Amino acid sequence: MDNEQIKLLDKENIMHTYSRYDVCLTKGRGVYAYDNNGKEYIDVSSGIGVNSLGYCNPGWVEAVQKQTAKIQHISNYYYNEVAGELAQKLTKATGMSKLFFGNSGAEANECAIKVARKYSFDKYGSNRNHIVTLKNSFHGRTIATLSATGQDVFHNFFFPFVDNFDYAEADNIDSLKSVVTDKTCAVMLEVVQGEGGVNILSQSYLKAVEKFCKEKDILLIIDEVQTGVGRTGKLFGYMHSGIKPNIVTIAKGIGGGLPIGICLVDNTLKDVMGVSSHGTTFGSNPVVCAGANYVIDTVNNQDFLSDVNKKGGYIKDSVLKIKGVKSVRQLGLMIGIEIDGNVGDVAKRCSQEGLLIITAKTLLRMLPPLNITYEEIDKAVGILKKVMEEN
Ligand SMILES: *Cc1c(COP(=O)(O)O)cnc(C)c1O
């Protein structure tokens, strides 16, 4: 199929909920993706942080293929070896107690919201069900997670939304304290607001939130859907500050390219969700879990994670030398670039020149594969420089 045929199929048959770049990807290897004409793209967006080990990483492909040929799906009525192994790896790595398997970030957050409200209902009755989230956050596209998302642009058309989400200023403990009431059961936040523009919350703020929540028996939910699984140079972003959340949600990068969402809970919450209180058909799918086992085995390694930090710092230093770059926000390989000029235009020009880079609000955003090499970084930054300095 040529590019025009692929675009036509999309235009005629798929709801236009996304504006697309003029790019048709049909094959990928490592940090490179290709269209059917053989045009090569270096991709520093990784399918929005999903392909954490790049396209078609051989070890990941092997794990997935082997599992597909062994048993491809087991309903949740039966025990599942692969899911059990993944769960144990994640609870051990985080010190959390138990987890629930879903299929996406939004679903992981839905589970977190249900756990928080159920915990509070069991302990305090039905009136303590408010959840405080942060302005400029992003938590997903279901009705409940849109409600949790602290951005007015997401609160349109689909009324009624879910009640009792309250929004505080990000990185401002006084704002949080003023929004919390005796009806608040949880605070939910991203340690780096990804979609909101790579907004890195300070460690002192996170510690203050943790302390304040503990005093009031308010659960702290950390949405690690974008920041998790090595992205920020620690296994989870919250680990930079040493806080201990009650609930952690992950998705995107843990699957290495297959759909998965996970809600981890601590010891106090491990029995809050009883039989029949929650479920999802595809959750804990063994093929997906086999891929995720490969990802966590690769990423949960001190040398690997310190390389993520070094490479992130290297990208920041390189990008700061480009004319027109005003500042860089960077934690590990989560990178936001503030520039003179329109980021949409720059990202589009980059795609024409063979670099796939995305945007977040008014910033350019890079979420490269965690195993990107320095040569590949130089190549990607070279294309960005060319495009920026032509502008
Ligand atoms: C992407 C994202 C989500 C939503 O994940 P989906 O898999 O698209 O449902 C939620 N929270 C954060 C922080 C995200 O980046």
Side-chain angles (χ1 to χ4, degrees):
M1 229 182 262
D2 68 25
N3 288 345
E4 293 314 310
Q5 287 171 303
I6 294 171
K7 285 189 257 175
L8 194 64
L9 284 178
D10 184 298
K11 286 206 173 83
E12 290 185 343
N13 300 289
I14 298 177
M15 285 190 211
H16 296 172
T17 60
Y18 299 98
S19 81
R20 298 199 203 280
Y21 293 97
D22 190 14
V23 173
C24 302
L25 302 178
T26 53
K27 197 180 108 175
R29 287 291 177 278
V31 73
Y32 293 102
Y34 305 87
D35 71 10
N36 278 345
N37 295 338
K39 175 162 178 169
E40 182 180 272
Y41 297 92
I42 186 162
D43 183 358
V44 294
S45 69
S46 313
I48 318 185
V50 166
N51 300 324
S52 40
L53 303 177
Y55 290 105
C56 300
N57 176 279
W60 178 87
V61 169
E62 191 192 349
V64 167
Q65 282 180 337
K66 269 197 181 148
Q67 187 57 47
T68 310
K70 194 172 174 196
I71 188 164
Q72 85 277 31
H73 177 73
I74 309 166
S75 83
N76 285 303
Y77 292 123
Y78 310 113
Y79 290 99
N80 177 333
E81 176 184 14
V82 199
E85 281 172 358
L86 176 59
Q88 186 186 46
K89 283 172 190 169
L90 288 169
T91 52
K92 270 201 176 146
T94 55
M96 301 297 270
S97 200
K98 287 188 176 173
L99 61 74
F100 177 84
F101 283 115
N103 310 285
S104 68
E107 233 188 299
N109 287 336
E110 288 273 343
C111 181
I113 292 163
K114 285 177 77 170
V115 171
R117 285 187 168 174
K118 173 83 169 26
Y119 169 77
S120 193
F121 179 90
D122 290 347
K123 196 163 169 185
Y124 299 98
S126 61
N127 263 330
R128 187 178 178 275
N129 53 41
H130 284 241
I131 296 178
V132 175
T133 63
L134 300 185
K135 291 184 184 163
N136 212 30
S137 58
F138 183 78
H139 296 297
R141 297 284 195 161
T142 62
I143 297 283
T145 56
L146 279 177
S147 307
T149 293
Q151 300 187 51
D152 292 341
V153 289
F154 287 103
H155 303 155
N156 280 306
F157 319 125
F158 314 115
F159 303 101
F161 286 93
V162 176
D163 283 341
N164 298 354
F165 285 91
D166 307 310
Y167 312 108
E169 296 290 339
D171 223 12
N172 179 336
I173 190 68
D174 294 330
S175 168
L176 185 88
K177 286 181 180 172
S178 72
V179 171
V180 165
T181 69
D182 56 6
K183 292 194 163 73
T184 304
C185 69
V187 169
M188 172 151 104
L189 56 84
E190 307 151 83
V191 292
V192 182
Q193 295 184 321
E195 301 306 308
V198 194
N199 183 21
I200 304 169
L201 305 191
S202 68
Q203 297 191 12
S204 57
Y205 171 75
L206 294 171
K207 286 204 180 104
V209 174
E210 179 195 38
K211 181 165 177 274
F212 179 68
C213 287
K214 264 215 178 87
E215 283 163 12
K216 300 194 167 317
D217 195 20
I218 290 170
L219 299 175
L220 179 54
I221 305 170
I222 304 290
D223 177 345
E224 292 266 356
V225 169
Q226 194 160 145
T227 49
V229 200
R231 174 56 55 193
T232 68
K234 293 267 186 193
L235 190 60
F236 292 97
Y238 73 83
M239 292 175 172
H240 286 281
S241 60
I243 59 168
K244 286 207 177 351
N246 303 102
I247 303 177
V248 175
T249 57
I250 57 184
K252 291 199 167 96
I254 179 68
L258 288 172
I260 183 167
I262 295 172
C263 176
L264 283 145
V265 301
D266 73 4
N267 196 47
T268 49
L269 302 173
K270 68 182 194 299
D271 298 320
V272 163
M273 300 297 266
V275 171
S276 296
S277 61
H278 200 40
T280 182
T281 299
F282 285 107
S284 75
N285 174 276
V287 173
V288 177
C289 289
N293 270 319
Y294 186 81
V295 171
I296 192 79
D297 288 343
T298 307
V299 172
N300 191 15
N301 168 306
Q302 210 32 63
D303 291 338
F304 186 94
L305 291 170
S306 77
D307 276 349
V308 168
N309 279 312
K310 284 186 206 137
K311 288 171 189 169
Y314 180 74
I315 293 180
K316 179 176 181 174
D317 293 343
S318 312
V319 166
L320 276 171
K321 292 185 189 129
I322 297 173
K323 214 172 109 236
V325 168
K326 295 209 290 199
S327 72
V328 175
R329 302 179 197 164
Q330 173 260 332
L331 194 63
L333 283 169
M334 195 162 177
I335 296 154
I337 306 168
E338 200 195 358
I339 62 166
D340 289 321
N342 181 297
V343 288
D345 292 344
V346 171
K348 189 174 155 197
R349 291 268 301 109
C350 284
S351 72
Q352 291 160 351
E353 296 294 328
L355 171 67
L356 301 181
I357 189 168
I358 51 178
T359 62
K361 292 280 160 72
T362 59
L363 282 81
L364 290 170
R365 178 168 42 148
M366 290 189 185
L367 299 165
L370 302 177
N371 54 3
I372 190 170
T373 66
Y374 288 95
E375 295 78 53
E376 289 161 350
I377 290 171
D378 287 342
K379 183 164 177 184
V381 173
I383 297 174
L384 179 63
K385 179 177 159 72
K386 178 171 176 246
V387 167
M388 288 285 302
E389 297 186 352
E390 268 171 10
N391 251 11

